Amino acid sequence: MLWVDKYRPKTLAQVVVHEDIAQNLTKLVTEQDCPHLLFYGPSGSGKKTLIMALLRQIFGPSAEKVKVENRNWKIDAGSRTIDLELTTLASTNHVELSPSDVGLQDRYIVQEIIKEMAKNRPIDTKGKKGFKVLVLNEVDKLSREAQHSLRRTMEKYSASCRLILCCNSSSKVTEAIRSRCLNIRINAPSAEQIVKVLEFIGKKEGLQIPSGFAARIAEKSNRNLRRAILSFETCRVQQYPFTSNQAIPPMDWEEYISEIATDIMKEQSPKRLFQVRGKVYELLINCIPPEIVLKRLLHELLKKLDAELKHEVCHWAAYYEHRMRLGQKAIFHIEAFVAKFMSIYKAFLIATFG
Amino acid sequence: MDMDMDMDIPLPEELELLEANSHFYEESYIDSPPSDPSPPQSPPLKNLEIDGSKRPRNSDAIESQPEENKRTKRIDIEEEEEEEEDWLRYAPPEETNVEVAVEKDEEVYLSRFMSAINGDCIPVTAPSGGERVYAKISGAQRDEGLEKLNCKERSKGLLPEPVNVLLQRVEQQAFAKALEASSEHQNDITIPETTMVHEQLWVEKYAPSSFTELLSDEQTNREVLLWLKQWDSCVFGSEIRSTSDEVLSALRRLSSTQHKKSFDSDFSRKNRGHRWINGNNNHIDNVDHGTNNLKGMQEFWNKNSRLTGPPEQKILLLCGSPGLGKTTLAHVAAKHCGYRVVEVNASDDRSTSTIEAKILDVVQMNSVMADARPKCLVIDEIDGALGDGKGAVEVILKMVSAERKHDFGKENNAKKKGSKTASLTRPVICICNDLYAPALRPLRQIAKVHIFVQPTVSRVVSRLKYICNREGMKTSSIALTALAEFTECDIRSCLNTLQFLHKKNETLNVMDISSQVVGRKDVSKSAFDIWREIFHKRTKRDRKSNTSSGSSYGEFDFLHALISNRGDYDVILDGIHENILQLRYHDPVMHKTVKCLNSLGISDVMQQYVMRTQQMSLQVYQPSVAITLHRIVAQIQKPTLEWPKSFQRYRTMLMEKTDILRAWHQKIPPYMSRHLSTKSCIEDLISPLLHILSPPNFRPVALHLLSETEKNNLTQLVNVMVSYSITYKKMKSDSLSSNMGHEAVSDASALSFEPPIGEFIAYKDYRSDPHVLPLAMKQVLLHEVEKQKILQVSTGKSAQRTDGCCNGDQGVVGKGASVAKSAKTIEVPPWKQSKNPLQMSGRHVVVLISLKGLENQAAEVLWILKLQ
């Protein structure tokens, strides 16, 4: 078991990073009830950990006893029947699912399955705690229609069911849903917090951490706690005892993008652009989302760029990312950005060096 | 000269006869007497004729052979024959049944069937009606026989009317024609009502009636004919004989005359001998040349002549765009070979049952009526109606396969007995426009396929010119050339246009063609053609010939029509995207590239919007994107294009990888997987995980030799692997392109991760350097992992019995214990193990006891204890 999982706080009391939020959540559920919740924040900041801890706070340890269910649903949609396959994690008191897994048909998940789950009110042995929690992951990936159907469900079955929504960006969740939830923003942990966590783990594992080493990992982790802990463990496996200037293995895909950026800086021509296209395809094939490719590419390019160009390049990156989200074929837009960058940079080079 | 001409006169015809596997030698005997009296011809005169000055000038010309019988019609030799040809054209009904009657009561010299003639015989085809008979060759008394034959011909033989009657009629006809022509000249505007009534479509009127008049490609024509000839043995019972020396010499002479004739005869408008047209009149040179040509041909024939049965491929599939003359060729060739054409086209019922009956009818029955020629089935527009056309294809396929089976059992003797199994014993010609229509896929494999190419513009133009002259329509070659190019050499559309204009008494001028007068063909081109047009800048000349205005407006129109006719914008834009960076255009600061990619981006956004809102009417703006690109990057030189594969490849690979990932994700126990989305798996987890799974400091030694910390590390590693359900799997070494590929494996198989998580960082041209474990170490790990899994299952069972602990925690507890245990290689059954906590690597001991506690809270507490 990796350290990430091993040292994941199980209860709200154990939470180190977002202590204030954890305390607030504890207060929130002391009455054994809570409003709908919407957790949002970047990945690796601890949303899921907090949600699990919260569930445990509400339902006790039984919340951790989950079973995986892979169910086929047959949904009658007017003239035709739609077959959907959905994996759910269910304990007696809660169900976790990612409706966006089924793609365009997520509407039916929300309309039929969630509704059905929400309707069934669990009866406690004591006959008292009569509500159920539905945890929906990646709500921001839900289609607009699905989100619209969700808002009615949220109101209608609020007596028997609480929804905990989890997503990266609240901007993609419609206003209507946001207003029905208590929004909880989980920001990315700061470098100090990460260092604190790493030192905590180091102490538990009985490791000697040279000064500054944890800070370096934290810095490289991009304020992503999961990544920081994984890097930490990687370093431990690679070389122990630590030295303060020990190499921290990079993420391969980031390394690859940085290679692409170097390529772009070296030569600006359609031919080079064609090579870049091949590499970008490689990344996309290996499930790196195009937005992240673009963002990371911009990041790498900015590192190597003169200050006076940075503003313009950022502008164009934003422009093409917007287009990419409007469009369908991400490769067109990433490539257009690269071409634009090449054009700007080349013009700049010519202007500067003649 | 005289003699020479005598010999030469029949020769072009000979070529056909040759194809009919005849002996030239004997043939010439029959042939020459009738043509003897024909006077030598002077070339200048013929040239005049080419210009179409006028036809019936020489109506006083001397003799006329009974040319319209099955002996050759040498139009290019004599003017009066020319006339006769005219006459033939103007009055086809009278002509067609001239030679129907063949004497059978007397000794048979001519018969429709070979079997009816005793002794040697040759097949003869009359050019006018396509009638085909076999003529007897009597070796001993040739002269007498010929005498007889001629007599018969003169008296009542093959002609229903005496020659002098025919002659008279010809004169009358010519006279009438002259009158008509002159009256037309006088008052052009008032076309007599009668002509209006009788007017046929020019397309039909001037349809080629003989093989020599075909306008389509010579090569194709010949091959089609050859294929039909291969049926002879099966249908007519004759054999294909190899070319003898006499034939060779005849051919040689033929080719030399061809040179002369094709150069200066009015037949140049027809397709004969076009490959020999080189303007060289030198006899001797050409003979040599011809011989070389013919040698190859002879070999070809010899090879083919071995076949006695029907040809290997029993179906002929002609394909080509409309108006190139496919149907005409099929009809003419079949007629030429002595078949009666039975046509089935899209207008007929083509369901399986009807077509089967029809084909059986064609194949097995003979007409009892006068026209007893064997039938040849022409299935036109076979690709047309999918549902019905399929019926035809199915039936044919069935018959062919039946035949195959039959042949397999009985070699080639299935000629007449094959009727029971409904095999194909008559040629079947299928005609289609789109060779790659899905319905034709099975047919394509068994049929002999001929693809029609466009005839050259000059040939089409000369033919058009001829017709225009005949119809008294004034045209210029420039206008005709433009028309031909505009219609892409679709002669049918050319003729219809001309006739239409003629009716309106307008002359064809260049302006008309691009204006609304002429309907443009609405053809959709292949995607490749469209990309080519987009990337290829036409030179001025090209463009001018295409659109008379030649302006960018015309270009826009042209491209717009081209792209929107195709309609498949997604593919078109993909193709542009795929190929655009391979073009060579001058672009120092990449402005053009940026523009192009921006345009592509716009089209993508547009496409997405259209699909999302289902406003298909907005699709009309898609072609303009492509045209923008054309204006930016089009080059003079032709681009090399590729079909856009990379996007599709990306899509499928992405799906595959996502599936792998998802499957893996589901195998990870929920208390861990719930914290990982597939996205964060890729972004954060996989790279470090690979490092963690292959630590650099493991010694591949026996377990008991490991130090305490090393054991700990190993335990930890196995633990991680099990919890993430990763194991090693044997793989073929050559498929190790992934990270495991770096390893220098000498043996045939190596161990690689299962699921193949290593592949997720195996980018092209990227060398990641996670330390790769040696094979021995992997084997140890594999062993340990398997053991661990078994243990886990059993502890899982015991945990269920205990019925209260958190699954995850307990699993981990059990694991820690048993791994430590197995590290010591003590084989203890798991149940014993859990009840009997041996001393072990320190911290786990405490936890094991908790299993006995069997209470949630206890386990919880102990777990936390363990952590702290």
Side-chain angles (χ1 to χ4, degrees), chain B residues 795-849:
Chain B
T795 29
K797 271 183 196 153
S798 65
Q800 271 173 3
R801 256 187 278 128
T802 58
D803 195 35
C805 269
C806 301
N807 266 342
D809 291 353
Q810 201 176 20
V812 171
V813 172
K815 248 178 271 163
S818 49
V819 167
K821 206 151 183 114
S822 58
K824 290 202 157 191
T825 62
I826 303 167
E827 292 296 327
V828 183
W831 60 90
K832 250 189 206 169
Q833 190 184 30
S834 53
K835 279 177 195 163
N836 181 22
L838 296 164
Q839 91 299 344
M840 238 159 288
S841 50
R843 293 184 287 110
H844 294 291
V845 182
V846 197
V847 190
L848 274 172
I849 305 162

Side-chain angles (χ1 to χ4, degrees), chain B residues 845-863:
Chain B
V845 182
V846 197
V847 190
L848 274 172
I849 305 162
S850 75
L851 283 172
K852 282 186 174 173
L854 306 177
E855 285 301 321
N856 282 347
Q857 294 302 323
E860 197 64 36
V861 168
L862 283 171
W863 177 235

Side-chain angles (χ1 to χ4, degrees), chain A residues 166-309:
Chain A
C166 177
C167 64
N168 282 340
S169 160
S170 67
S171 66
K172 285 193 172 174
V173 181
T174 53
E175 281 286 338
I177 290 182
R178 270 187 279 164
S179 81
R180 281 168 173 75
C181 298
L182 176 66
N183 295 4
I184 300 169
R185 176 159 187 263
I186 316 288
N187 40 7
S190 65
E192 294 80 48
Q193 282 171 321
I194 292 177
V195 170
K196 225 168 94 188
V197 172
L198 294 183
E199 276 166 355
F200 170 75
I201 293 172
K203 206 172 84 196
K204 283 278 162 59
E205 290 283 326
L207 303 172
Q208 295 290 322
I209 305 173
S211 63
F213 183 61
R216 272 183 63 219
I217 292 177
E219 185 201 359
K220 279 206 98 176
S221 71
N222 214 4
R223 292 180 70 189
N224 181 333
L225 189 57
R226 180 192 296 124
R227 192 186 288 186
I229 297 172
L230 281 167
S231 311
F232 186 48
E233 190 171 354
T234 310
C235 291
R236 160 73 182 78
V237 169
Q238 296 285 324
Q239 185 188 346
Y240 185 78
F242 297 121
T243 54
S244 59
N245 56 352
Q246 183 182 349
I248 300 162
M251 294 290 151
D252 290 287
W253 62 272
E254 289 185 357
E255 198 65 11
Y256 196 62
I257 290 182
S258 121
E259 272 180 24
I260 295 175
T262 319
D263 283 353
I264 295 172
M265 299 300 282
K266 262 189 213 148
E267 188 192 327
Q268 296 85 34
S269 68
K271 211 177 120 208
R272 179 51 58 97
L273 185 57
F274 187 71
Q275 290 166 3
V276 169
R277 174 197 292 177
K279 292 191 168 182
V280 171
Y281 263 137
E282 278 293 312
L283 284 168
L284 294 180
I285 282 171
N286 286 298
C287 308
I288 312 278
E291 299 86 34
I292 288 182
V293 173
L294 186 62
K295 210 177 277 173
R296 187 73 203 176
L297 190 59
L298 174 69
H299 183 250
E300 293 290 339
L301 288 173
L302 285 181
K303 272 201 247 169
K304 307 177 181 190
L305 210 57
D306 284 292
E308 52 189 299
L309 286 182

Side-chain angles (χ1 to χ4, degrees), chain A residues 1-10 64 201 205 229-230 232-234 236-237, chain B residues 668-676 685 688-689 692-693 712-726 785 788 792 806-817 819 843-844 847 863 866-867:
Chain A
M1 162 175 267
L2 294 174
W3 291 352
V4 189
D5 305 303
K6 198 165 162 188
Y7 297 106
R8 194 186 298 282
K10 297 274 184 276
E64 284 178 18
I201 293 172
E205 290 283 326
I229 297 172
L230 281 167
F232 186 48
E233 190 171 354
T234 310
R236 160 73 182 78
V237 169
Chain B
I668 303 175
Y671 63 94
M672 277 159 30
S673 71
R674 66 153 64 113
H675 295 281
L676 281 172
L685 182 66
L689 189 62
I692 292 167
L693 291 182
N712 260 343
N713 287 341
L714 182 67
T715 314
Q716 185 85 4
L717 180 57
V718 172
N719 201 341
V720 168
M721 283 183 71
V722 171
S723 60
Y724 277 91
S725 70
I726 294 167
V785 167
Q788 182 64 40
Q792 196 180 8
C806 301
N807 266 342
D809 291 353
Q810 201 176 20
V812 171
V813 172
K815 248 178 271 163
V819 167
R843 293 184 287 110
H844 294 291
V847 190
W863 177 235
K866 181 201 153 205
L867 293 187

Side-chain angles (χ1 to χ4, degrees), chain B residues 403-679:
Chain B
E403 177 82 352
R404 285 255 164 86
K405 268 179 225 155
H406 200 89
D407 272 0
F408 194 69
K410 283 182 98 187
E411 290 301 319
N412 282 348
N413 298 333
K415 253 181 246 166
K416 299 228 161 115
K417 293 168 200 162
S419 51
K420 265 179 210 159
T421 54
S423 59
L424 277 177
T425 52
R426 293 287 183 270
V428 175
I429 302 176
C430 301
I431 297 171
C432 66
N433 285 339
D434 180 13
L435 180 59
Y436 297 100
L440 298 184
R441 197 175 296 140
L443 193 61
R444 223 162 44 219
Q445 290 160 359
I446 59 155
K448 186 175 173 69
V449 179
H450 277 296
I451 298 170
F452 267 63
V453 289
Q454 283 184 8
T456 55
V457 175
S458 59
R459 283 174 74 189
V460 174
V461 169
S462 65
R463 174 75 172 173
L464 288 178
K465 208 162 179 180
Y466 165 77
I467 292 169
C468 284
N469 282 332
R470 298 292 296 268
E471 291 290 333
M473 185 180 181
K474 288 193 198 97
T475 50
S476 67
S477 346
I478 299 167
L480 285 178
T481 311
L483 179 67
E485 274 172 5
F486 193 79
T487 55
E488 286 159 14
C489 291
D490 178 350
I491 189 139
R492 175 164 47 205
S493 133
C494 286
L495 279 180
N496 284 338
T497 310
L498 283 173
Q499 190 174 15
F500 173 63
L501 290 174
H502 184 59
K503 267 280 183 115
K504 298 205 312 187
N505 290 308
E506 283 172 11
T507 52
L508 180 77
N509 55 27
V510 182
M511 290 308 289
D512 282 347
I513 290 168
S514 54
S515 70
Q516 296 299 316
V517 176
V518 181
R520 203 175 222 296
K521 263 205 289 186
D522 191 16
V523 284
S524 67
K525 293 238 186 172
S526 80
F528 265 111
D529 291 335
I530 290 171
W531 296 324
R532 202 161 288 129
E533 285 298 338
I534 289 170
F535 290 137
H536 181 222
K537 188 188 271 167
R538 285 167 176 268
T539 55
K540 273 231 170 75
R541 199 177 50 76
D542 281 351
R543 204 184 304 152
K544 206 171 273 171
S545 65
N546 213 314
T547 58
S548 54
S549 55
S551 65
S552 59
Y553 175 72
E555 190 186 17
F556 182 92
D557 263 4
F558 171 67
L559 275 176
H560 193 278
L562 195 69
I563 298 165
S564 44
N565 279 343
R566 168 82 192 179
D568 205 349
Y569 304 123
D570 220 20
V571 169
I572 289 173
L573 289 167
D574 269 351
I576 293 173
H577 177 249
E578 183 96 354
N579 290 301
I580 199 164
L581 294 180
Q582 306 288 5
L583 297 181
R584 298 213 181 97
Y585 48 91
H586 183 65
D587 192 14
V589 214
M590 309 257 313
H591 281 321
K592 284 183 182 173
T593 317
V594 171
K595 261 192 205 164
C596 290
L597 287 168
N598 272 345
S599 308
L600 283 173
I602 288 169
S603 95
D604 174 44
V605 171
M606 199 148 71
Q607 182 82 15
Q608 170 76 352
Y609 183 79
V610 166
M611 294 324 273
R612 195 162 52 90
T613 58
Q614 294 290 301
Q615 298 195 40
M616 296 303 173
S617 56
L618 292 177
Q619 292 273 30
V620 289
Y621 297 105
Q622 288 282 17
S624 51
V625 172
I627 294 167
T628 316
L629 291 166
H630 169 75
R631 297 304 296 268
I632 299 171
V633 296
Q635 295 296 299
I636 306 279
Q637 67 261 44
K638 297 233 161 144
T640 48
L641 296 173
E642 269 177 45
W643 188 264
K645 279 184 236 126
S646 52
F647 190 75
Q648 278 310 315
R649 181 175 159 268
Y650 152 65
R651 289 261 285 265
T652 47
M653 300 268 289
L654 183 63
M655 295 273 277
E656 264 176 42
K657 297 245 172 171
T658 318
D659 280 348
I660 293 175
L661 208 59
R662 197 166 282 169
W664 179 42
H665 195 256
Q666 281 181 5
K667 275 198 269 174
I668 303 175
Y671 63 94
M672 277 159 30
S673 71
R674 66 153 64 113
H675 295 281
L676 281 172
S677 64
T678 46
K679 184 176 142 251

